[in-house]
Amino acid sequence: MKEKHRWSLAVSLVFYVFAVMAAAMMLAGFIMVILNHKGILNWNHEMMGTEFRPPVAALVGMILFSVIIGTALASFFSRRALKPIRRLVEATRRVARGDFNVFVESEGSIRELDELHHSFNQMTRELSSTQTLRNDFINNFSHEFKTPIVSIRGFAKLLKEGGISEDERKEYLEIIVAESQRLSTLATNVLNLSKYESMEIIAEKETFRVDEQLRRVIAMTEPQWAAKGITVEVALDEAEYYGNPDLIQQIWLNLIDNAVKFSHTGVNFGAICAEVNGAVIVTIKDDGIGMDEAVRLRIFDKFFQGDASHKQTGNGLGLTMAKRIAELHGGTIRADSQPGRGSSFTVMLPK
């Protein structure tokens, strides 16, 4: 499809001014010629027995006609020229009232206005996305904090009322301890994420072996994957990296925890590490339940959990923190998945 030719705003204004001036002069001149032809104005003969009269009156009349006609034409053309700007002003008012689902269609004839419309539409899309994310964040945040608090309060009341067996008392106490730990973990993760988001410069960098770090993390998480009968397959090439080892370790802990959490009992998950084109590439892959495209696109959002039923433990912050840590090191993290066919998370850390 051929791209439509677009004029600059300066050229358009010059054209409009020239067109109005030319049209006004031509129309005024045509009217003056008609009036002269009808004898209403006489440019060439004596009038009323007086001496020859220069055409001063005709010139003044022509100027007046030009001003009147030019004003009328300018008013007509300006209304058409300013129509895209008026639409944009009205759309801005709607955004100011909180309506972010606004789209301004561009006519594409003036380059600057076309770029302004494009930027405005991009802004409203971002605002709409931010508003949706904000609402989801508030809802999920409230749910994640409210659920353990309600649980702790309920079982504490049962303990206070008494009349329960020793086994029930132990069970209720274990639930209270577990929910308290869940709240503590959630608070810690929220604080850590807030710290990572406000962080711009990474301190305490050093050179370390990423492959060795991965081996240690896999060994640390053995109780989790061994309890589900999961087999770990690794292919870890030697790879050195200069960064903050404590922060980088949080990436592997979160990815492995996520892989184990959403894997079926008895399946495999693997870890691959290699240096490719001056970067350390690590892939954590599992043969678990996988996720559809809608979940994959939001998997790194705060408090978002692919398991809407919240059957799995977690608070939806682990992958968000992993992504932020990778970005702080100038890297990226990408998720690939299909329902029922597992998921893989690939981290690229430039050296």
Side-chain angles (χ1 to χ4, degrees):
M1 183 177 179
K2 186 177 180 180
E3 183 179 357
K4 187 176 180 179
H5 178 71
R6 297 181 299 174
W7 292 0
S8 70
L9 184 59
V11 172
S12 301
L13 290 175
V14 170
F15 172 78
Y16 276 125
V17 171
F18 177 79
V20 169
M21 290 177 59
M25 294 293 292
M26 291 175 62
L27 188 57
F30 177 74
I31 292 175
M32 296 300 293
V33 170
I34 295 296
L35 293 177
N36 181 67
H37 180 72
K38 295 294 185 181
I40 298 175
L41 292 176
N42 192 338
W43 295 358
N44 304 314
H45 301 87
E46 294 181 355
M47 298 178 62
M48 305 292 293
T50 62
E51 296 180 356
F52 177 75
R53 185 178 181 182
V56 175
L59 292 176
V60 172
M62 185 174 180
I63 292 173
L64 290 175
F65 271 120
S66 299
V67 170
I68 295 171
I69 295 171
T71 302
L73 290 175
S75 176
F76 173 78
F77 282 117
S78 65
R79 291 179 64 86
R80 177 177 176 81
L82 294 175
K83 184 178 179 181
I85 297 178
R86 289 198 300 270
R87 288 205 310 264
L88 190 61
V89 170
E90 178 58 31
T92 304
R93 289 173 180 167
R94 291 175 59 185
V95 171
R97 293 193 295 265
D99 181 8
F100 301 134
N101 298 315
V102 181
F103 179 82
V104 180
E105 186 174 355
S106 175
E107 297 179 357
S109 57
I110 299 177
R111 182 169 60 250
E112 286 85 354
L113 290 179
D114 187 45
E115 292 174 355
L116 182 60
H117 289 157
H118 175 75
S119 298
F120 179 86
N121 292 330
Q122 185 177 6
M123 178 193 70
T124 55
R125 286 194 297 269
E126 291 293 334
L127 287 173
S128 179
S129 176
T130 301
Q131 181 67 17
T132 301
L133 182 60
R134 176 179 175 271
N135 293 336
D136 290 345
F137 175 84
I138 293 174
N139 293 334
N140 290 326
F141 186 84
S142 300
H143 178 273
E144 293 298 332
F145 265 91
K146 185 178 180 180
T147 300
I149 291 174
V150 170
S151 180
I152 291 172
R153 183 177 60 184
F155 286 106
K157 284 183 177 181
L158 290 175
L159 289 171
K160 182 179 179 181
E161 292 172 357
I164 57 176
S165 66
E166 183 64 19
D167 291 338
E168 288 176 328
R169 188 183 71 83
K170 290 180 178 179
E171 180 184 357
Y172 297 166
L173 286 173
E174 288 176 357
I175 293 175
I176 290 174
V177 170
E179 293 296 271
S180 300
Q181 181 60 45
R182 180 179 169 188
L183 272 178
S184 177
T185 302
L186 178 58
T188 300
N189 286 341
V190 169
L191 291 173
N192 285 337
L193 180 59
S194 177
K195 180 177 69 175
Y196 298 155
E197 287 182 332
S198 62
M199 185 185 298
E200 296 296 335
I201 300 176
I202 301 176
E204 300 178 0
K205 288 185 176 182
E206 61 182 74
T207 301
F208 64 97
R209 290 270 298 275
V210 176
D211 54 308
E212 290 296 334
Q213 187 180 63
L214 278 166
R215 290 188 180 92
R216 287 196 302 271
V217 171
I218 291 171
M220 289 167 53
T221 57
E222 181 180 3
Q224 298 171 244
W225 49 266
K228 297 184 70 171
I230 294 176
T231 302
V232 181
E233 298 177 351
V234 298
L236 307 177
D237 295 341
E238 182 177 334
E240 286 191 345
Y241 184 71
Y242 180 71
N244 187 304
D246 293 332
L247 290 180
I248 297 295
Q249 179 172 286
Q250 290 299 314
I251 298 179
W252 319 136
L253 285 170
N254 283 306
L255 291 183
I256 292 175
D257 177 73
N258 193 73
V260 174
K261 187 187 304 180
F262 293 100
S263 291
H264 301 295
T265 300
V267 301
N268 300 337
F269 89 81
I272 302 173
C273 175
E275 287 192 26
V276 181
N277 297 327
V280 176
I281 308 294
V282 175
T283 300
I284 306 296
K285 184 176 181 180
D286 66 73
D287 295 326
I289 60 176
M291 51 188 168
D292 58 28
E293 185 66 9
V295 173
R296 188 189 70 82
L297 292 175
R298 297 196 56 197
I299 199 65
F300 296 107
D301 291 351
K302 297 177 186 177
F303 288 104
F304 179 78
Q305 297 185 54
D307 177 24
S309 66
H310 295 273
K311 291 181 180 179
Q312 299 289 346
T313 59
N315 46 54
L317 292 177
L319 292 179
T320 308
M321 287 192 291
K323 182 174 184 289
R324 178 55 183 163
I325 293 171
E327 290 173 344
L328 284 172
H329 285 81
T332 60
I333 179 169
R334 185 184 76 249
D336 297 293
S337 182
Q338 292 183 9
R341 301 184 63 178
S343 304
S344 67
F345 291 83
T346 303
V347 180
M348 187 279 292
L349 299 172
K351 298 189 67 171

